[in-house]
Amino acid sequence: MHHDLTGTTPQMSRDKPESPRVTMDDLAKAAGVSKMTVSRALSGHPLVKTSTRERVLHLAEQHGFRLNIAARNLRQRSTRTIGVVIEMTPSHDRSMSEPYPLSLLGGIMQELTSHAYNMVLTTLPLFVASPPAVDGLILLGQGVHEDAVDMVQRTGLPYVIWGSVDGNEDHITIGSDNVAGGRIAADHLLGQGRRALAFIGDDKHLEIADRLRGFAARIDEAGATLVGQASSRFTREGGYDAARTLLAGGAVFDGVFASSDAIAMGVITCLRDAGHTVPDDVAVIGFDDAPGAALFTPSVSSIRQDWDRGGKLLAQKILALTKGAKPLSESMPVEIKARES
Amino acid sequence: MHHDLTGTTPQMSRDKPESPRVTMDDLAKAAGVSKMTVSRALSGHPLVKTSTRERVLHLAEQHGFRLNIAARNLRQRSTRTIGVVIEMTPSHDRSMSEPYPLSLLGGIMQELTSHAYNMVLTTLPLFVASPPAVDGLILLGQGVHEDAVDMVQRTGLPYVIWGSVDGNEDHITIGSDNVAGGRIAADHLLGQGRRALAFIGDDKHLEIADRLRGFAARIDEAGATLVGQASSRFTREGGYDAARTLLAGGAVFDGVFASSDAIAMGVITCLRDAGHTVPDDVAVIGFDDAPGAALFTPSVSSIRQDWDRGGKLLAQKILALTKGAKPLSESMPVEIKARES
DNA sequence: TTGAAAGCGCTAACAA
DNA sequence: TTGTTAGCGCTTTCAA
């Protein structure tokens, strides 16, 4: 008995088979077996007779069968997909200045991939307006608006956050030890004999606030002074403006901790424009060890985060969560990259 | 009549509601309406009486209902999700040297987001081993292996490619006009009086081959000479090694076209190490206008691609395809960023 | 303005 | 080794 599979699809042009939409039922009829056997054969189930499997596989190939993933997702109650919610579209040609760069996504991807999970990238507004089918979420950044966390929380999906790791175990957070990063930055400047220090960065971000906290604490311990502080966007322009504001306010400092490398470059440029030399008059240290930090003149000292590992941890924790485990928050050490600035 | 929704879910701890799994059926019973009315109310269907809608919405909120996207995807035969297949995991701290940087993904995301589509990132092996539910695919890079295209083609899904745009309309391709880029690079060097030129890059990549083609053609027209050529990975180290190979082979040149900025930096470093000055002895031009190009010393001249627009075009075309339209391939102009090198 | 029936395409569970 | 039954949770279609 012969079944004309193509005949079941009414609207198709002959040159370009519009949508063959061959289902397992079709294959089953063609092979003279049940739908179930087809399913087993295609998924490599060991109990299928080899000859049967081969016949089914051949027919599937021949008819261009492709599994309907959406159907399987529904039936299995699992999508093998994790959503990554980013705060901003990762655009602009200044990937350098992005707080959550490719490396973090890279780490996440590697780990998800090795567990045969997919990753869907989304923004918070899109996630709310048109949610993708996922088993769990990774939230990149609590940002200034902690309502991002709220929004995600109310979806009822398991989630983990990249950000500031406090003791609060309401949610699972992975992040660099920003407080330690701040202390290390202070140590670096103090070690060069700097005593009047300034901080530049937006401490409405929890992570930045942590850096400032560690920085200020260490300065205090050492008996030096935090003489100034200015908020800044994560860009060179932001750093430039912030430094100018500080100088205009009459602040006198010989060391600056900028909360990103892009900001640090802006600060350095501004200092020079104002007639100061870097690092002789003022030493500057940034954060992130961005690709450009080593290329800038002078090369920019920085605090390096292990983004790759961070991404992997995020992925591991969310996968554990979806499997019912109870992973813990984790904070990762940072390290200094001392350079000319 | 009262329905205890939570009672339908046997295994749940009281402190942390494990999986409420409230369905529309549950809401329907609780609201004393049909499943269908619940569906309509939740999706904002205009024919639902306001009071009914409000009651349903309230109950949904109260019971923490969340739509099962997988079920909807199956029923609607659409996932509102586009897959982006990248060739490599976007890792390493040298995002600078990545051929397909964040900006391209950024452009894609912006466009997809504004059409309420999601984007799932995947690699070719993962896509084959564990395909996500998508309506279409964007392939980033034909790469060296054109079998990537084959693999994708046989899934039967609509797809578009970022890469070298030839006349071939077998598949829809978006890409920069790499041939023109090569010509512009040649012009730039020739304009500085350089006559003995070299090319560094892996012309097994179709896009790189295009750049070389344009470069060589223009040189030829001008009566100058392409005196050497070496393959290279897309990294600084690759560029360094390639330049050394070229020098070791006895090639004498006063201008180099490197197929990426990272390569160009490696080349410059190598030339210096060999006692040549840049740009006096040898002028160098790169490709991509990577973030680091302007920061390097000397700053690196480069050919800029409009990745943001490229991403948007890719997204537009794939969306058009999934809607049954027949969009065309498109090649985008590039522009020169002349700097010190 | 609402509802009943049907089924999207697949696989878990059980039976043979 | 294979098949049968019964849905997964939603929306389309048609009827009221």
Side-chain angles (χ1 to χ4, degrees):
Chain A
M1 178 167 178
H2 226 88
H3 284 268
D4 179 12
L5 292 175
T6 61
T8 64
T9 316
Q11 305 167 323
M12 56 182 276
S13 51
R14 253 162 313 116
D15 38 8
K16 286 204 172 185
E18 268 307 328
S19 46
R21 288 264 135 259
V22 180
T23 71
M24 284 190 178
D25 249 329
D26 299 323
L27 289 183
K29 281 171 193 139
V33 296
S34 78
K35 208 165 50 163
M36 208 45 237
T37 300
V38 172
S39 174
R40 290 190 182 111
L42 291 173
S43 68
H45 191 107
L47 289 173
V48 180
K49 212 196 324 182
T50 311
S51 64
T52 310
R53 181 195 339 282
E54 275 166 2
R55 191 152 35 96
V56 170
L57 255 48
H58 178 74
L59 281 166
E61 163 81 354
Q62 184 182 329
H63 291 103
F65 169 81
R66 56 200 166 93
L67 186 64
N68 184 321
I69 308 291
R72 184 217 260 168
N73 285 350
L74 173 58
R75 179 65 243 219
Q76 299 194 144
R77 296 142 161 275
S78 152
T79 62
R80 292 198 86 81
T81 300
I82 297 295
V84 176
V85 180
I86 58 182
E87 286 207 35
M88 62 213 83
T89 54
S91 64
H92 309 107
D93 46 359
R94 55 171 88 97
S95 66
M96 223 177 50
S97 66
E98 297 292 332
Y100 306 113
L102 214 47
S103 336
L104 193 51
L105 290 181
I108 295 172
M109 259 208 83
Q110 274 183 32
E111 195 64 23
L112 290 182
T113 296
S114 74
H115 292 267
Y117 268 72
N118 284 103
M119 165 173 133
V120 40
L121 263 188
T122 183
T123 58
L124 194 61
L126 177 58
F127 181 78
V128 171
S130 175
V134 297
D135 298 339
L137 289 172
I138 295 174
L139 237 185
L140 294 193
Q142 303 130 311
V144 178
H145 342 278
E146 282 206 72
D147 47 46
V149 178
D150 295 346
M151 289 262 44
V152 162
Q153 205 156 22
R154 74 177 46 204
T155 66
L157 285 168
Y159 66 96
V160 298
I161 303 173
W162 173 262
S164 166
V165 185
D166 47 7
N168 182 347
E169 283 290 336
D170 276 358
H171 30 244
I172 296 161
T173 309
I174 315 296
S176 293
D177 188 339
N178 289 289
V179 176
R183 298 185 74 88
I184 294 170
D187 267 331
H188 174 73
L189 296 172
L190 293 165
Q192 299 175 230
R194 318 291 167 151
R195 309 292 296 168
L197 307 178
F199 179 86
I200 296 186
D202 182 358
D203 64 358
K204 285 199 293 297
H205 288 262
L206 294 181
E207 299 175 70
I208 308 297
D210 286 349
R211 292 174 200 169
L212 173 55
R213 197 140 45 80
F215 188 62
R218 185 70 194 87
I219 290 171
D220 213 49
E221 286 170 21
T225 319
L226 181 62
V227 299
Q229 179 185 343
S231 186
S232 168
R233 283 163 292 134
F234 288 90
T235 61
R236 263 175 95 164
E237 295 72 25
Y240 192 99
D241 295 346
R244 202 173 40 187
T245 304
L246 226 44
L247 291 172
V252 178
F253 45 87
D254 54 12
V256 176
F257 176 28
S259 55
S260 89
D261 290 336
I263 295 176
M265 292 178 205
V267 170
I268 291 171
T269 307
C270 176
L271 287 170
R272 277 182 178 154
D273 287 356
H276 303 286
T277 60
V278 175
D280 293 344
D281 296 345
V282 185
V284 177
I285 183 166
F287 211 102
D288 289 349
D289 190 27
L295 298 176
F296 198 70
T297 310
S299 57
V300 181
S301 300
S302 191
I303 307 288
R304 188 182 198 352
Q305 309 196 55
D306 194 345
W307 267 313
D308 199 66
R309 192 165 123 67
K312 287 184 179 155
L313 281 176
L314 285 166
Q316 282 164 15
K317 306 270 179 186
I318 189 62
L319 290 181
L321 259 185
T322 62
K323 288 174 179 70
K326 300 277 172 252
L328 296 175
S329 291
E330 203 164 323
S331 121
M332 300 187 314
V334 296
E335 73 180 310
I336 187 164
K337 292 282 178 182
R339 300 202 178 89
E340 295 164 2
S341 76
Chain B
M1 182 168 178
H2 226 89
H3 283 268
D4 180 13
L5 293 174
T6 62
T8 63
T9 317
Q11 306 167 324
M12 54 181 278
S13 50
R14 251 161 316 115
D15 38 10
K16 286 206 173 184
E18 266 307 328
S19 46
R21 288 263 136 262
V22 180
T23 70
M24 284 189 179
D25 249 328
D26 298 323
L27 289 183
K29 281 173 194 141
V33 296
S34 78
K35 206 165 50 162
M36 212 36 243
T37 299
V38 172
S39 174
R40 290 193 183 108
L42 291 173
S43 68
H45 191 108
L47 288 173
V48 180
K49 212 196 320 179
T50 311
S51 64
T52 311
R53 184 200 330 286
E54 275 166 3
R55 190 153 37 97
V56 170
L57 254 48
H58 178 74
L59 281 166
E61 164 82 355
Q62 184 182 328
H63 290 103
F65 168 81
R66 55 201 167 90
L67 187 64
N68 184 321
I69 308 291
R72 183 218 261 169
N73 285 349
L74 173 57
R75 181 64 243 222
Q76 298 194 144
R77 294 141 163 276
S78 151
T79 62
R80 292 198 86 82
T81 300
I82 297 295
V84 176
V85 180
I86 57 182
E87 286 209 35
M88 61 212 83
T89 56
S91 65
H92 309 105
D93 45 1
R94 54 171 88 97
S95 65
M96 226 177 49
S97 65
E98 297 291 333
Y100 306 113
L102 215 46
S103 336
L104 194 51
L105 290 181
I108 295 173
M109 260 208 81
Q110 275 182 31
E111 195 64 23
L112 290 182
T113 296
S114 74
H115 292 266
Y117 267 71
N118 284 102
M119 164 174 134
V120 40
L121 263 188
T122 183
T123 59
L124 194 61
L126 177 57
F127 181 79
V128 171
S130 176
V134 297
D135 298 339
L137 288 171
I138 295 175
L139 237 184
L140 293 193
Q142 304 128 312
V144 178
H145 343 278
E146 282 206 72
D147 46 48
V149 179
D150 295 346
M151 291 262 41
V152 162
Q153 204 156 22
R154 74 176 46 204
T155 66
L157 285 168
Y159 65 93
V160 298
I161 303 173
W162 172 263
S164 166
V165 185
D166 47 7
N168 181 348
E169 285 288 336
D170 277 358
H171 31 245
I172 296 161
T173 309
I174 314 297
S176 293
D177 188 339
N178 289 290
V179 176
R183 298 185 74 90
I184 293 170
D187 267 330
H188 174 73
L189 296 171
L190 293 165
Q192 301 175 230
R194 317 292 167 150
R195 308 293 296 170
L197 306 178
F199 179 87
I200 296 186
D202 182 358
D203 64 357
K204 286 199 292 299
H205 288 262
L206 294 182
E207 300 174 70
I208 308 296
D210 285 348
R211 292 173 200 171
L212 173 55
R213 198 141 44 79
F215 187 63
R218 184 69 194 88
I219 291 172
D220 213 50
E221 285 170 22
T225 318
L226 181 63
V227 298
Q229 178 185 343
S231 186
S232 168
R233 285 162 292 134
F234 287 91
T235 61
R236 263 175 96 165
E237 295 72 25
Y240 192 100
D241 295 347
R244 202 173 42 188
T245 305
L246 225 45
L247 291 173
V252 179
F253 45 87
D254 54 12
V256 176
F257 176 30
S259 54
S260 87
D261 290 334
I263 295 176
M265 292 179 207
V267 169
I268 291 170
T269 307
C270 176
L271 288 170
R272 276 180 179 156
D273 287 356
H276 302 287
T277 59
V278 175
D280 294 344
D281 296 345
V282 184
V284 178
I285 182 166
F287 210 102
D288 289 350
D289 190 28
L295 299 176
F296 199 70
T297 310
S299 57
V300 181
S301 300
S302 191
I303 306 289
R304 188 181 199 355
Q305 310 195 55
D306 193 346
W307 267 313
D308 199 66
R309 192 165 124 67
K312 287 183 178 153
L313 281 176
L314 285 166
Q316 282 164 15
K317 307 269 179 187
I318 188 62
L319 290 181
L321 259 185
T322 62
K323 287 173 180 71
K326 300 276 172 252
L328 295 176
S329 292
E330 201 163 325
S331 119
M332 301 187 313
V334 295
E335 73 181 311
I336 188 164
K337 291 280 176 182
R339 300 200 179 90
E340 295 165 3
S341 77

